[in-house]
Amino acid sequence: MPSTQKPMRYGHTEGHTDVCFDDTGSCIVTCGSDGDVRIWENLDDDDPKSINVGEKAYSFALKNGRLVTAVSNNTVQIHTFPEGAPDGILTRFTTNANHVVFNRDGTKIAAGSSDFMVKVVEVTDSSQQKTFRGHDAPVLSLSFDPQDAFLTSASCDGSVRIWKISDQTCVTSWPLLRKCNDVINAKSICRLAWQPKSGKLLAVPVEKVVKLYRRETWDNQFDLSDNFITQTLSIVTWSPCGQYVAAGSVDGCIAVWNVDTQECMERMKHEKSYTICGLAWHPKGGQIAYTDTEGNLGLLENVCNRDGKKSGGKASSAVTKDYNDLFDEDDDFLNTDLIEPRSSPKVLSNEEDDDDDDLMLASGHPRQRGAIIEDDENSLDAALMKVNSNLEKDDDNDQNGSIPVLPISTTQRPFYDGPMPTPQQKPFQSGSTPSHLTHRFMVWNSIGIIRCYNDEQDNAIDVEFHDTSIHHATHLPNSLNHTMADLSSEAILLACESTEELASKLHCVHFSSWDSNKEWTVDMPKDEDIEAICLGQGWAACATSAMLTRVFTIGGVQKEIFSLPGSVVSMAGHGEQLVVIYHRGTGFDGDQCLGVQLIELGKKKRQVLRGDPLPLTRKSYLMWVGFSAEGTPCYVDSEGIVKMLNRGLGNTWIPVCDTREYCKGKSDHYWVIGIHENPQQLRCIPCKGARFPPTLPRPAVAILSFKLPYCQITTEKGQMEEQFWRSVVFHNHLDYLSKNGYEYDENAKNEAAKEQQELLMKLFALSCKLEREFRCVELADFMTQNAVNLAIKYASRSRKLILAQRLSEMAVEKATEMAAPEEDDDEEDDFRNHLNAGYSNSATEWSQPRVRNLLHEQEMEDSKEADAVEEVEEMPEMQKFKGQNPFCKTVGLPEMSTPKSAVITSSSQGRVNPFKVLANQKDPTAHSANILDNMSKFSKNTPTPNSRAVNKQKSPVIKPLIPKPKSKQALAATFFQPRPAHAGGKTVEEREEKAENILPEIQPAATENTENKRPKTGFQMWLEENRESILADNPDLEEADIIKEGMSRFRVLSSDERMVWTEKAKGGAASNSAEAKKRKRPTDAKNEGKEKLEEKSKEESSLPKKRKPLDPSTNVRLSAFAFKQS
């Protein structure tokens, strides 16, 4: 199989770092510039044993339980291993030693120093020393001949010398390296190495090649090179069998060659291209540990893990077995398809009917089929060969028959250079640390912490609650060796893997149960292991190795079972929501291919996300998945990117934080434990040099702020845009909670709307100053109607009349659109809504008003008009809402073929008692108009008994994980989530009759009789007296344009003048009411209906200004900001 590169991890502080395996290969040992020697059980060991050997460690060697280190006090000292007890000083130099090595049997050490000297010291008797002088610069590296006859050294003077140990003389010297004055300035540290056992060859890294010199003759036998190596090689090491050579470069490349064939077998690139300064083979082969100059530790697995090393053939040996032994029966096609005469070379073809059997190369070295795919896209494969007529044959090369032999060519074309498959991520529990640790966190979430202790003294689980009012701390035995846990405010959920005797078990401690039996256990079927678990409100779930998700009640009743499309990665629950992450395919080039399912397990079960791809950062994997305290799904990947579900944009994922921006070091990480949307907080634990925190001492929790990755975030415009959209995204959960009957804080929703409108006004003012009027209109499209009115005033005073005119038109459109949500709720089950979905509101067969008898409807209006007038007189507070009636939908539908008189009369009949609805249930339009004046003014009204009944019928409230104050009106209508209006004075039959006879787009429109009941507004009286002057100035204006022009002129009047006209209008209330009935039958329905509609549109625009003296605080502040001129 191809070699695999495991993710690197932090080992030491920045600086030169050395690495080796112990004699048995059971652990990895490293040393670094922090003066520590660390012993790692494996690469995932988050608690390595540390031995402090000095202020700074430059090099170390390990053999026979002795640890020798070169430290910053210019000494070479020895410690016991693995205890780390000091065992004396072997030798001293005048400066620090740069490299120390053991000989083959561990009886001697060699040390090279920056004072140009090399010393060989007996380990058992440090007085027995030999000094080698001759270098003219600091010594870089040393290597013992396996037969203890020679010692090799490399120096900054550019030379590589061979010393004869017995007489301390220099046998030969090669000027191979670049000269420099110190180790820190050396391009390469030139870590050279002798071939193990025989010592036949010496490998020296020189520039971009590895030179191999033959023993005794000291001739350069051959060079190992590859196009993959583009920078200077600095270190080489031999495999224990002596057949392979690995080399690392200064730009992070690692290559492995087969010395026999001179073929490059493996290629690997450091994930961050740091200089490779340490390289070590596992004593049994198959693994290479490496370190870089930043203190990181990495591991290559399955390196050259193939049977080729068993052949033992010489470098030029081509075939060592009979042809029939090279290929099995399934590979007979090679006889004709792959073997060509020497005169006609041909590239080996890849047949589709190949199986997974071993493929023996013509060189005589068998190779796994999977090894065709290498770690690098430039990898070469030995199966692609060119026939070479000048084949060199070794003495032991014998052939049976006349089968031609295919040699290895160094100019081979790659067999496969496409993307490489990524190993699938293993299942994990969010908020847990690795299961191999003896002391670990099983879960850390917003409810509490579960720790597991599994050592010689104890095997137990401790449960701690952040809020002790939920439950007291608990100590549980762990006799079943539970490895997974989850914690909620109702229960503790544990799970263990199966053993040969026991099945995998799911164990629940339901501490909130009111009966005495608070625990239950469920055994999984045979050969089915639990891989992930989670808790919600009233339910528990687990995902198993059979790709099944099993749901239970919190009391232990088995509920739904459903299959997953792939093996599970992780899962999380909150309230009624369950999110499951699984493998939906195979990723390539380091990417994971994950899918996500989001399911609601309440009374109305539905699947929100149906296996959508989970977008991860490139070359990253999932680290945490869960919900915010308010119930929004979130996840974090290994690159530190936090993403949240954006319900306001079709359930897409938006990045909300990059924790790497807060990390001080490259190896630092943040371990996420919880997310809160209000207030906006990312709760996590900083981990210095690791991805997981230790259990002791108890780690401190840090709070990070969110920031959306918007462009030009340093500019004022970019900052305000980011703040606005962050506010929108982080308050989408309020709409979700409101829609699903959850409890939420209405004041928070009002404050969010206020904050968003203020940011829009600031952006609007900034765009006005920059003369970006088109941008101003785009910003106004996000504003509420009241904010648009402020924008109109700002544009008018800024002498931007065209902008003000366009904003006025937008205000009319907004008032028309504000009725749409209410009508959609009222007609939710009407099948005509589905027929009209996605189409315009033009007249169609289904959108025509089905008027049965217009005269009958008008008579009904006459009979109810008197009662409506009395209601208005009895409720003076409704004057607040006079200007907030949404415009009739027909204003935006000029193409309606039905006469406007009929349309208006039909829509009027649906609003016989509109004031009762507004008074008791807070018209969302009225609320929106006051959203900047007083966010909570109307939220304090007592709901009607009707609304209380509705509230009682709602599903049980699901509180977020963080307790929040109860809202006085859980179902109160707000601007962003309008509620269907239920008229308190109407029966169910009347509302059904109205729904059948009134066009959905016109149903919530303003009514004619309400217009007739009310006295004329100040604007209407002003327009009647000034109509002639407007026509005199603009004789070609139509009626609608006259009203618009009148609106513009009326706004210019001072507030005192407008109040005068308003008082005149109030004075004529009685006469106007009497005349209203006489005008009930218009002579010209079309013209009269049009005039009345547009009178109401002007009244809508003018009346909000009459409320200005009531509560001017917010308007004054915004106006002061908007009109502030530099």
Side-chain angles (χ1 to χ4, degrees), residues 628-632 644-648 676-680 727-740 742-745 748-749 752 960 964:
S628 68
E630 291 76 15
T632 303
M644 176 181 291
L645 187 69
N646 187 1
R647 301 185 193 271
H676 298 260
E677 297 179 71
N678 187 23
Q680 297 178 17
S727 177
V728 171
V729 169
F730 278 85
H731 289 90
N732 282 337
H733 71 277
L734 295 174
D735 289 337
Y736 174 80
L737 296 176
S738 174
K739 179 180 178 181
N740 290 274
Y742 288 65
E743 182 176 294
Y744 70 98
D745 187 2
K749 189 169 187 176
K964 294 193 175 297

mmCIF file of all heavy atoms in Angstrom, residues 628-632 644-648 676-680 727-740 742-745 748-749 752 960 964:
data_model
loop_
_atom_site.group_PDB
_atom_site.id
_atom_site.type_symbol
_atom_site.label_atom_id
_atom_site.label_comp_id
_atom_site.label_asym_id
_atom_site.label_seq_id
_atom_site.Cartn_x
_atom_site.Cartn_y
_atom_site.Cartn_z
ATOM 1 N N SER A 628 -25.264 25.987 18.786
ATOM 2 C CA SER A 628 -25.116 27.123 19.678
ATOM 3 C C SER A 628 -26.115 26.988 20.819
ATOM 4 O O SER A 628 -27.019 26.148 20.779
ATOM 5 C CB SER A 628 -25.352 28.428 18.913
ATOM 6 O OG SER A 628 -26.711 28.528 18.517
ATOM 7 N N ALA A 629 -25.954 27.807 21.837
ATOM 8 C CA ALA A 629 -26.877 27.748 22.967
ATOM 9 C C ALA A 629 -28.294 28.067 22.536
ATOM 10 O O ALA A 629 -29.252 27.670 23.196
ATOM 11 C CB ALA A 629 -26.429 28.720 24.059
ATOM 12 N N GLU A 630 -28.432 28.761 21.403
ATOM 13 C CA GLU A 630 -29.758 29.118 20.901
ATOM 14 C C GLU A 630 -30.295 28.109 19.900
ATOM 15 O O GLU A 630 -31.398 28.282 19.384
ATOM 16 C CB GLU A 630 -29.709 30.504 20.248
ATOM 17 C CG GLU A 630 -29.500 31.641 21.229
ATOM 18 C CD GLU A 630 -28.058 31.747 21.720
ATOM 19 O OE1 GLU A 630 -27.161 31.143 21.097
ATOM 20 O OE2 GLU A 630 -27.820 32.439 22.712
ATOM 21 N N GLY A 631 -29.508 27.068 19.564
ATOM 22 C CA GLY A 631 -30.032 25.994 18.718
ATOM 23 C C GLY A 631 -29.650 26.062 17.264
ATOM 24 O O GLY A 631 -30.305 25.431 16.437
ATOM 25 N N THR A 632 -28.587 26.789 16.897
ATOM 26 C CA THR A 632 -28.144 26.854 15.509
ATOM 27 C C THR A 632 -26.978 25.889 15.307
ATOM 28 O O THR A 632 -25.996 25.956 16.050
ATOM 29 C CB THR A 632 -27.703 28.278 15.144
ATOM 30 O OG1 THR A 632 -28.779 29.184 15.393
ATOM 31 C CG2 THR A 632 -27.315 28.359 13.674
ATOM 32 N N MET A 644 -21.312 28.398 10.737
ATOM 33 C CA MET A 644 -22.640 28.352 11.337
ATOM 34 C C MET A 644 -23.685 28.246 10.225
ATOM 35 O O MET A 644 -23.503 28.787 9.132
ATOM 36 C CB MET A 644 -22.868 29.617 12.176
ATOM 37 C CG MET A 644 -24.252 29.730 12.788
ATOM 38 S SD MET A 644 -24.444 31.267 13.728
ATOM 39 C CE MET A 644 -23.340 30.942 15.089
ATOM 40 N N LEU A 645 -24.775 27.546 10.537
ATOM 41 C CA LEU A 645 -25.863 27.417 9.571
ATOM 42 C C LEU A 645 -26.603 28.740 9.459
ATOM 43 O O LEU A 645 -27.054 29.291 10.461
ATOM 44 C CB LEU A 645 -26.823 26.311 9.997
ATOM 45 C CG LEU A 645 -27.916 25.950 8.988
ATOM 46 C CD1 LEU A 645 -27.318 25.264 7.776
ATOM 47 C CD2 LEU A 645 -28.972 25.055 9.623
ATOM 48 N N ASN A 646 -26.708 29.247 8.240
ATOM 49 C CA ASN A 646 -27.409 30.506 7.985
ATOM 50 C C ASN A 646 -28.810 30.177 7.493
ATOM 51 O O ASN A 646 -29.029 29.936 6.309
ATOM 52 C CB ASN A 646 -26.636 31.336 6.950
ATOM 53 C CG ASN A 646 -27.222 32.724 6.758
ATOM 54 O OD1 ASN A 646 -28.203 33.083 7.418
ATOM 55 N ND2 ASN A 646 -26.649 33.494 5.865
ATOM 56 N N ARG A 647 -29.755 30.149 8.430
ATOM 57 C CA ARG A 647 -31.134 29.804 8.058
ATOM 58 C C ARG A 647 -31.758 30.875 7.174
ATOM 59 O O ARG A 647 -32.733 30.611 6.475
ATOM 60 C CB ARG A 647 -31.980 29.627 9.317
ATOM 61 C CG ARG A 647 -31.478 28.544 10.273
ATOM 62 C CD ARG A 647 -32.461 28.367 11.420
ATOM 63 N NE ARG A 647 -31.920 27.588 12.519
ATOM 64 C CZ ARG A 647 -31.993 26.272 12.621
ATOM 65 N NH1 ARG A 647 -32.581 25.589 11.669
ATOM 66 N NH2 ARG A 647 -31.483 25.645 13.672
ATOM 67 N N GLY A 648 -31.220 32.081 7.212
ATOM 68 C CA GLY A 648 -31.785 33.162 6.408
ATOM 69 C C GLY A 648 -31.372 33.122 4.959
ATOM 70 O O GLY A 648 -31.822 33.937 4.161
ATOM 71 N N HIS A 676 -22.248 30.816 21.621
ATOM 72 C CA HIS A 676 -23.424 31.579 22.011
ATOM 73 C C HIS A 676 -23.656 32.683 20.990
ATOM 74 O O HIS A 676 -22.719 33.376 20.591
ATOM 75 C CB HIS A 676 -23.229 32.182 23.415
ATOM 76 C CG HIS A 676 -23.041 31.165 24.497
ATOM 77 N ND1 HIS A 676 -24.053 30.769 25.337
ATOM 78 C CD2 HIS A 676 -21.956 30.438 24.876
ATOM 79 C CE1 HIS A 676 -23.603 29.859 26.183
ATOM 80 N NE2 HIS A 676 -22.331 29.642 25.922
ATOM 81 N N GLU A 677 -24.901 32.839 20.597
ATOM 82 C CA GLU A 677 -25.240 33.872 19.626
ATOM 83 C C GLU A 677 -25.653 35.179 20.285
ATOM 84 O O GLU A 677 -25.508 36.245 19.694
ATOM 85 C CB GLU A 677 -26.365 33.364 18.711
ATOM 86 C CG GLU A 677 -25.955 32.159 17.877
ATOM 87 C CD GLU A 677 -27.086 31.659 17.006
ATOM 88 O OE1 GLU A 677 -27.434 32.339 16.028
ATOM 89 O OE2 GLU A 677 -27.636 30.580 17.321
ATOM 90 N N ASN A 678 -26.201 35.100 21.471
ATOM 91 C CA ASN A 678 -26.591 36.318 22.178
ATOM 92 C C ASN A 678 -26.283 36.128 23.660
ATOM 93 O O ASN A 678 -27.023 35.436 24.358
ATOM 94 C CB ASN A 678 -28.084 36.612 21.965
ATOM 95 C CG ASN A 678 -28.485 37.950 22.542
ATOM 96 O OD1 ASN A 678 -27.652 38.837 22.722
ATOM 97 N ND2 ASN A 678 -29.762 38.100 22.850
ATOM 98 N N PRO A 679 -25.183 36.702 24.173
ATOM 99 C CA PRO A 679 -24.222 37.544 23.452
ATOM 100 C C PRO A 679 -23.335 36.722 22.528
ATOM 101 O O PRO A 679 -23.223 35.507 22.700
ATOM 102 C CB PRO A 679 -23.387 38.163 24.582
ATOM 103 C CG PRO A 679 -23.447 37.136 25.669
ATOM 104 C CD PRO A 679 -24.820 36.533 25.593
ATOM 105 N N GLN A 680 -22.713 37.387 21.557
ATOM 106 C CA GLN A 680 -21.892 36.691 20.583
ATOM 107 C C GLN A 680 -20.570 36.278 21.234
ATOM 108 O O GLN A 680 -19.673 37.089 21.415
ATOM 109 C CB GLN A 680 -21.640 37.595 19.378
ATOM 110 C CG GLN A 680 -22.908 37.955 18.624
ATOM 111 C CD GLN A 680 -22.650 38.885 17.463
ATOM 112 O OE1 GLN A 680 -21.522 39.036 17.015
ATOM 113 N NE2 GLN A 680 -23.687 39.531 16.963
ATOM 114 N N SER A 727 -24.892 40.879 12.614
ATOM 115 C CA SER A 727 -26.097 41.028 13.428
ATOM 116 C C SER A 727 -27.269 40.264 12.821
ATOM 117 O O SER A 727 -28.044 39.618 13.538
ATOM 118 C CB SER A 727 -26.446 42.516 13.573
ATOM 119 O OG SER A 727 -27.643 42.687 14.294
ATOM 120 N N VAL A 728 -27.374 40.306 11.496
ATOM 121 C CA VAL A 728 -28.466 39.586 10.829
ATOM 122 C C VAL A 728 -28.310 38.076 11.031
ATOM 123 O O VAL A 728 -29.249 37.376 11.410
ATOM 124 C CB VAL A 728 -28.491 39.933 9.323
ATOM 125 C CG1 VAL A 728 -29.475 39.022 8.592
ATOM 126 C CG2 VAL A 728 -28.880 41.387 9.115
ATOM 127 N N VAL A 729 -27.089 37.571 10.790
ATOM 128 C CA VAL A 729 -26.855 36.122 10.884
ATOM 129 C C VAL A 729 -27.074 35.629 12.305
ATOM 130 O O VAL A 729 -27.711 34.589 12.530
ATOM 131 C CB VAL A 729 -25.428 35.790 10.403
ATOM 132 C CG1 VAL A 729 -25.074 34.348 10.740
ATOM 133 C CG2 VAL A 729 -25.314 36.026 8.908
ATOM 134 N N PHE A 730 -26.580 36.391 13.290
ATOM 135 C CA PHE A 730 -26.650 35.917 14.664
ATOM 136 C C PHE A 730 -28.004 36.174 15.319
ATOM 137 O O PHE A 730 -28.176 35.861 16.495
ATOM 138 C CB PHE A 730 -25.535 36.560 15.497
ATOM 139 C CG PHE A 730 -24.222 35.867 15.346
ATOM 140 C CD1 PHE A 730 -23.382 36.173 14.304
ATOM 141 C CD2 PHE A 730 -23.841 34.879 16.222
ATOM 142 C CE1 PHE A 730 -22.170 35.528 14.136
ATOM 143 C CE2 PHE A 730 -22.629 34.218 16.079
ATOM 144 C CZ PHE A 730 -21.793 34.550 15.031
ATOM 145 N N HIS A 731 -28.935 36.748 14.577
ATOM 146 C CA HIS A 731 -30.292 36.885 15.119
ATOM 147 C C HIS A 731 -31.319 36.130 14.273
ATOM 148 O O HIS A 731 -32.517 36.281 14.496
ATOM 149 C CB HIS A 731 -30.675 38.363 15.230
ATOM 150 C CG HIS A 731 -29.926 39.084 16.314
ATOM 151 N ND1 HIS A 731 -28.726 39.717 16.086
ATOM 152 C CD2 HIS A 731 -30.176 39.233 17.637
ATOM 153 C CE1 HIS A 731 -28.285 40.251 17.216
ATOM 154 N NE2 HIS A 731 -29.143 39.964 18.168
ATOM 155 N N ASN A 732 -30.835 35.342 13.303
ATOM 156 C CA ASN A 732 -31.755 34.493 12.556
ATOM 157 C C ASN A 732 -32.421 33.463 13.459
ATOM 158 O O ASN A 732 -33.526 33.004 13.177
ATOM 159 C CB ASN A 732 -31.006 33.763 11.428
ATOM 160 C CG ASN A 732 -30.739 34.653 10.232
ATOM 161 O OD1 ASN A 732 -31.431 35.647 10.022
ATOM 162 N ND2 ASN A 732 -29.728 34.306 9.460
ATOM 163 N N HIS A 733 -31.735 33.094 14.542
ATOM 164 C CA HIS A 733 -32.311 32.073 15.418
ATOM 165 C C HIS A 733 -33.597 32.556 16.082
ATOM 166 O O HIS A 733 -34.443 31.753 16.456
ATOM 167 C CB HIS A 733 -31.295 31.679 16.492
ATOM 168 C CG HIS A 733 -31.056 32.735 17.523
ATOM 169 N ND1 HIS A 733 -30.177 33.783 17.329
ATOM 170 C CD2 HIS A 733 -31.578 32.932 18.758
ATOM 171 C CE1 HIS A 733 -30.165 34.549 18.399
ATOM 172 N NE2 HIS A 733 -31.000 34.054 19.281
ATOM 173 N N LEU A 734 -33.768 33.884 16.224
ATOM 174 C CA LEU A 734 -34.996 34.394 16.832
ATOM 175 C C LEU A 734 -36.202 34.077 15.959
ATOM 176 O O LEU A 734 -37.272 33.721 16.465
ATOM 177 C CB LEU A 734 -34.870 35.895 17.071
ATOM 178 C CG LEU A 734 -33.797 36.307 18.086
ATOM 179 C CD1 LEU A 734 -33.664 37.818 18.137
ATOM 180 C CD2 LEU A 734 -34.122 35.760 19.465
ATOM 181 N N ASP A 735 -36.033 34.212 14.645
ATOM 182 C CA ASP A 735 -37.122 33.845 13.747
ATOM 183 C C ASP A 735 -37.421 32.351 13.834
ATOM 184 O O ASP A 735 -38.573 31.925 13.824
ATOM 185 C CB ASP A 735 -36.762 34.218 12.301
ATOM 186 C CG ASP A 735 -36.779 35.719 12.079
ATOM 187 O OD1 ASP A 735 -37.459 36.410 12.853
ATOM 188 O OD2 ASP A 735 -36.111 36.192 11.144
ATOM 189 N N TYR A 736 -36.360 31.553 13.928
ATOM 190 C CA TYR A 736 -36.564 30.106 14.025
ATOM 191 C C TYR A 736 -37.284 29.747 15.318
ATOM 192 O O TYR A 736 -38.224 28.946 15.318
ATOM 193 C CB TYR A 736 -35.212 29.399 13.939
ATOM 194 C CG TYR A 736 -35.294 27.916 14.182
ATOM 195 C CD1 TYR A 736 -35.698 27.050 13.171
ATOM 196 C CD2 TYR A 736 -34.972 27.370 15.426
ATOM 197 C CE1 TYR A 736 -35.783 25.690 13.397
ATOM 198 C CE2 TYR A 736 -35.050 26.008 15.649
ATOM 199 C CZ TYR A 736 -35.457 25.174 14.631
ATOM 200 O OH TYR A 736 -35.545 23.827 14.850
ATOM 201 N N LEU A 737 -36.853 30.334 16.430
ATOM 202 C CA LEU A 737 -37.498 30.048 17.705
ATOM 203 C C LEU A 737 -38.956 30.486 17.701
ATOM 204 O O LEU A 737 -39.841 29.786 18.189
ATOM 205 C CB LEU A 737 -36.743 30.740 18.838
ATOM 206 C CG LEU A 737 -35.294 30.279 19.077
ATOM 207 C CD1 LEU A 737 -34.652 31.119 20.169
ATOM 208 C CD2 LEU A 737 -35.251 28.810 19.449
ATOM 209 N N SER A 738 -39.191 31.664 17.140
ATOM 210 C CA SER A 738 -40.562 32.175 17.091
ATOM 211 C C SER A 738 -41.449 31.292 16.218
ATOM 212 O O SER A 738 -42.574 30.976 16.577
ATOM 213 C CB SER A 738 -40.557 33.611 16.570
ATOM 214 O OG SER A 738 -41.865 34.082 16.392
ATOM 215 N N LYS A 739 -40.907 30.876 15.088
ATOM 216 C CA LYS A 739 -41.691 30.081 14.143
ATOM 217 C C LYS A 739 -42.050 28.715 14.705
ATOM 218 O O LYS A 739 -43.118 28.174 14.421
ATOM 219 C CB LYS A 739 -40.892 29.927 12.843
ATOM 220 C CG LYS A 739 -41.595 29.103 11.777
ATOM 221 C CD LYS A 739 -40.736 29.006 10.538
ATOM 222 C CE LYS A 739 -41.399 28.148 9.475
ATOM 223 N NZ LYS A 739 -40.558 28.017 8.266
ATOM 224 N N ASN A 740 -41.148 28.149 15.506
ATOM 225 C CA ASN A 740 -41.354 26.798 16.015
ATOM 226 C C ASN A 740 -41.908 26.763 17.433
ATOM 227 O O ASN A 740 -41.905 25.708 18.066
ATOM 228 C CB ASN A 740 -40.037 26.021 15.953
ATOM 229 C CG ASN A 740 -39.626 25.703 14.533
ATOM 230 O OD1 ASN A 740 -40.041 24.711 13.948
ATOM 231 N ND2 ASN A 740 -38.819 26.580 13.950
ATOM 232 N N TYR A 742 -40.742 28.132 20.188
ATOM 233 C CA TYR A 742 -39.776 28.154 21.291
ATOM 234 C C TYR A 742 -39.900 29.480 22.048
ATOM 235 O O TYR A 742 -40.406 30.472 21.530
ATOM 236 C CB TYR A 742 -38.349 28.028 20.769
ATOM 237 C CG TYR A 742 -37.974 26.665 20.245
ATOM 238 C CD1 TYR A 742 -38.577 26.127 19.117
ATOM 239 C CD2 TYR A 742 -36.994 25.907 20.867
ATOM 240 C CE1 TYR A 742 -38.233 24.890 18.618
ATOM 241 C CE2 TYR A 742 -36.632 24.665 20.390
ATOM 242 C CZ TYR A 742 -37.264 24.162 19.263
ATOM 243 O OH TYR A 742 -36.905 22.934 18.791
ATOM 244 N N GLU A 743 -39.390 29.478 23.240
ATOM 245 C CA GLU A 743 -39.361 30.705 24.017
ATOM 246 C C GLU A 743 -38.137 31.527 23.617
ATOM 247 O O GLU A 743 -37.040 30.995 23.435
ATOM 248 C CB GLU A 743 -39.282 30.372 25.509
ATOM 249 C CG GLU A 743 -39.305 31.591 26.403
ATOM 250 C CD GLU A 743 -39.316 31.182 27.864
ATOM 251 O OE1 GLU A 743 -40.322 30.591 28.277
ATOM 252 O OE2 GLU A 743 -38.319 31.431 28.546
ATOM 253 N N TYR A 744 -38.316 32.823 23.456
ATOM 254 C CA TYR A 744 -37.202 33.688 23.090
ATOM 255 C C TYR A 744 -37.425 35.065 23.699
ATOM 256 O O TYR A 744 -38.508 35.406 24.159
ATOM 257 C CB TYR A 744 -37.068 33.791 21.569
ATOM 258 C CG TYR A 744 -38.177 34.558 20.888
ATOM 259 C CD1 TYR A 744 -38.015 35.907 20.529
ATOM 260 C CD2 TYR A 744 -39.390 33.950 20.601
ATOM 261 C CE1 TYR A 744 -39.032 36.597 19.915
ATOM 262 C CE2 TYR A 744 -40.416 34.638 19.990
ATOM 263 C CZ TYR A 744 -40.226 35.970 19.642
ATOM 264 O OH TYR A 744 -41.229 36.672 19.033
ATOM 265 N N ASP A 745 -36.368 35.851 23.686
ATOM 266 C CA ASP A 745 -36.390 37.181 24.285
ATOM 267 C C ASP A 745 -36.760 38.191 23.212
ATOM 268 O O ASP A 745 -35.973 38.469 22.304
ATOM 269 C CB ASP A 745 -35.016 37.501 24.888
ATOM 270 C CG ASP A 745 -35.042 38.811 25.668
ATOM 271 O OD1 ASP A 745 -36.121 39.428 25.757
ATOM 272 O OD2 ASP A 745 -33.978 39.205 26.188
ATOM 273 N N ALA A 748 -34.505 41.247 22.863
ATOM 274 C CA ALA A 748 -33.292 41.035 22.082
ATOM 275 C C ALA A 748 -33.558 41.206 20.598
ATOM 276 O O ALA A 748 -32.736 41.759 19.865
ATOM 277 C CB ALA A 748 -32.739 39.634 22.354
ATOM 278 N N LYS A 749 -34.723 40.764 20.152
ATOM 279 C CA LYS A 749 -35.059 40.917 18.741
ATOM 280 C C LYS A 749 -35.253 42.385 18.388
ATOM 281 O O LYS A 749 -34.804 42.856 17.331
ATOM 282 C CB LYS A 749 -36.334 40.119 18.443
ATOM 283 C CG LYS A 749 -36.668 40.021 16.970
ATOM 284 C CD LYS A 749 -37.764 38.998 16.745
ATOM 285 C CE LYS A 749 -37.984 38.763 15.264
ATOM 286 N NZ LYS A 749 -38.961 37.706 15.006
ATOM 287 N N ALA A 752 -31.878 44.058 18.254
ATOM 288 C CA ALA A 752 -31.154 43.684 17.047
ATOM 289 C C ALA A 752 -31.666 44.468 15.842
ATOM 290 O O ALA A 752 -30.878 44.966 15.028
ATOM 291 C CB ALA A 752 -31.305 42.178 16.797
ATOM 292 N N PRO A 960 -33.193 27.277 25.461
ATOM 293 C CA PRO A 960 -31.799 27.101 25.052
ATOM 294 C C PRO A 960 -30.957 26.656 26.238
ATOM 295 O O PRO A 960 -31.396 26.668 27.393
ATOM 296 C CB PRO A 960 -31.408 28.501 24.561
ATOM 297 C CG PRO A 960 -32.698 29.199 24.287
ATOM 298 C CD PRO A 960 -33.679 28.623 25.250
ATOM 299 N N LYS A 964 -32.628 31.923 29.873
ATOM 300 C CA LYS A 964 -32.958 33.286 29.466
ATOM 301 C C LYS A 964 -34.246 33.706 30.166
ATOM 302 O O LYS A 964 -35.105 32.881 30.463
ATOM 303 C CB LYS A 964 -33.127 33.372 27.951
ATOM 304 C CG LYS A 964 -31.835 33.119 27.218
ATOM 305 C CD LYS A 964 -31.970 33.534 25.771
ATOM 306 C CE LYS A 964 -30.651 33.404 25.054
ATOM 307 N NZ LYS A 964 -29.658 34.288 25.619
#
